[in-house]
Amino acid sequence: MPTEAPAPGAETPWTSSIPAVASHRADALEEHGQSAEQETTASLPAEASTAEAPTTGGSDPAPQPLAASIATAEEASVRAEARETAVEDRPRWLAARTALIALAVPLLTLLTAVRLIATHGFLWAEYHRPGFPADSYGFDTQERLRLGSYGLDYILNFAPHTYLSEIETGGATAFLASEVEHMTDVKRVMLIALTAGALLFIAALFASRSLRTRAPGAIRKSLFTGSWLTLGILVALLVIGLLGWEPLFTAFHQLFFPQGNWQFRMSDTLIRLYPPQFWVDAALAIAILTLLFSLVLMMLTWPTQARKQRALARRAQRQELQRKLSQ
């Protein structure tokens, strides 16, 4: 039913419908505003997550780290270097390395023989062998063996000179000061020679590295050449010794002991312990051992047909590997 408009000047009762209509419209507008805010707030996280999400399309791969790139480049360089090394037909310094191995054979063979003779066993055999000259000044075999063992030990150890100078025999000092001085020189020469031999052996081992695979037959040829060289040196020394032992003995001492303190009287302890016959026997024993070592090495490295065929087979395998790597 339509509502009549109030007369002019009349007061509007508190139950009038006009304020109710205005209030209804305000409530509707308020509810519409709240729903709009909720819709806007709900849409923000989705839009933000959409904006913050990175692009992971298949056409754009992730960038590779710098460290991985460097490692890959280094591995490629190592592989290339290994390939070039494997393809090389001739090892570096081949002539010098084989020459070093060949020269090491006579020196190491001789030093080995000398070291085997400088033992208590040889000393005992010399003092007890028939025909060895007795000491005309009173040393019996046991005293000779005792004092001779002290002298032998002194040239092979690192003891001071008092090791010999304090030894007594018959209530007196066994060795004179000049004798101790000479034995100290012998010790120095012996230790230097053994050290040089050990270093030469290590150098020969390093020189032979990779030769078996990269130069088949090179090591065997070097050892075979060295055994012949040893025999040649041995024969030359033997001829010189037979022609004149005294000149050879003198030349040896003048070479290694130029200070000239190696000459003694027949009554001195060193001569009584190590008479000239002792050095002749020692030289012969060293020559025999060196000869045996050389012959054994020569037989082990003799260029037989089977050894040549094995070297040729290894060379053919290497050539095939080089062909494959060079493709």
Side-chain angles (χ1 to χ4, degrees):
M1 182 175 191
T3 306
E4 294 181 357
E11 293 180 359
T12 302
W14 65 274
T15 57
S16 175
S17 62
I18 294 176
V21 172
S23 175
H24 175 74
R25 290 181 178 177
D27 293 340
L29 289 175
E30 183 178 359
E31 290 177 359
H32 179 72
Q34 290 179 354
S35 62
E37 287 179 0
Q38 291 177 355
E39 291 177 359
T40 304
T41 305
S43 63
L44 283 177
E47 293 176 358
S49 61
T50 304
E52 292 175 359
T55 303
T56 56
S59 60
D60 295 329
Q64 189 177 12
L66 180 59
S69 301
I70 296 176
T72 304
E74 291 179 352
E75 292 177 359
S77 176
V78 171
R79 287 196 299 270
E81 184 178 356
R83 183 188 183 114
E84 292 177 0
T85 302
V87 173
E88 286 184 5
D89 184 39
R90 186 182 178 88
R92 297 179 179 177
W93 308 100
L94 178 59
R97 292 162 68 179
T98 53
L100 176 62
I101 296 172
L103 292 175
V105 171
L107 297 176
L108 292 177
T109 303
L110 182 61
L111 283 176
T112 303
V114 170
R115 184 61 186 89
L116 291 176
I117 292 304
T119 57
H120 293 275
F122 178 78
L123 194 65
W124 185 92
E126 277 292 286
Y127 289 155
H128 289 83
R129 80 167 180 84
F132 190 78
D135 178 33
S136 57
Y137 293 92
F139 284 161
D140 58 10
T141 302
Q142 292 302 320
E143 187 65 7
R144 254 183 165 182
L145 187 60
R146 183 180 75 89
L147 297 176
S149 298
Y150 274 111
L152 178 62
D153 292 339
Y154 178 67
I155 67 173
L156 295 174
N157 60 27
F158 296 95
H161 69 279
T162 54
Y163 185 87
L164 283 184
S165 61
E166 295 179 354
I167 297 176
E168 295 184 355
T169 178
T173 303
F175 297 95
L176 300 175
S178 58
E179 293 177 303
V180 175
E181 182 181 357
H182 175 65
M183 293 297 284
T184 301
D185 293 338
V186 174
K187 174 206 280 286
R188 185 180 300 110
V189 172
M190 193 71 172
L191 294 179
I192 291 175
L194 294 177
T195 304
L199 294 177
L200 182 61
F201 178 73
I202 295 174
L205 285 181
F206 273 98
S208 63
R209 289 182 59 190
S210 75
L211 290 185
R212 187 178 183 277
T213 56
R214 297 181 59 190
I219 297 177
R220 179 184 56 79
K221 292 178 182 178
S222 299
L223 295 176
F224 185 70
T225 302
S227 62
W228 275 109
L229 183 60
T230 304
L231 288 179
I233 296 174
L234 187 61
V235 169
L237 292 176
L238 182 61
V239 171
I240 295 174
L242 292 176
L243 293 178
W245 167 254
E246 289 296 334
L248 179 62
F249 187 79
T250 302
F252 173 83
H253 281 78
Q254 288 177 346
L255 175 64
F256 291 100
F257 310 107
Q259 57 271 29
N261 62 345
W262 53 273
Q263 295 178 331
F264 302 97
R265 300 183 301 269
M266 295 299 296
S267 59
D268 290 337
T269 302
L270 286 181
I271 302 300
R272 295 166 64 184
L273 297 177
Y274 315 111
Q277 187 61 48
F278 176 88
W279 298 110
V280 173
D281 295 344
L284 288 176
I286 292 172
I288 292 173
L289 287 176
T290 305
L291 177 62
L292 290 177
F293 293 156
S294 301
L295 292 177
V296 170
L297 183 60
M298 187 176 294
M299 288 188 295
L300 293 176
T301 58
W302 194 276
T304 61
Q305 191 65 27
R307 290 179 179 133
K308 290 180 180 179
Q309 291 299 327
R310 286 196 295 267
L312 290 175
R314 292 197 301 269
R315 191 175 295 114
Q317 292 176 357
R318 175 163 178 78
Q319 291 174 353
E320 179 65 18
L321 176 63
Q322 291 171 349
R323 185 186 65 79
K324 292 180 179 180
L325 292 175
S326 61
Q327 291 177 353

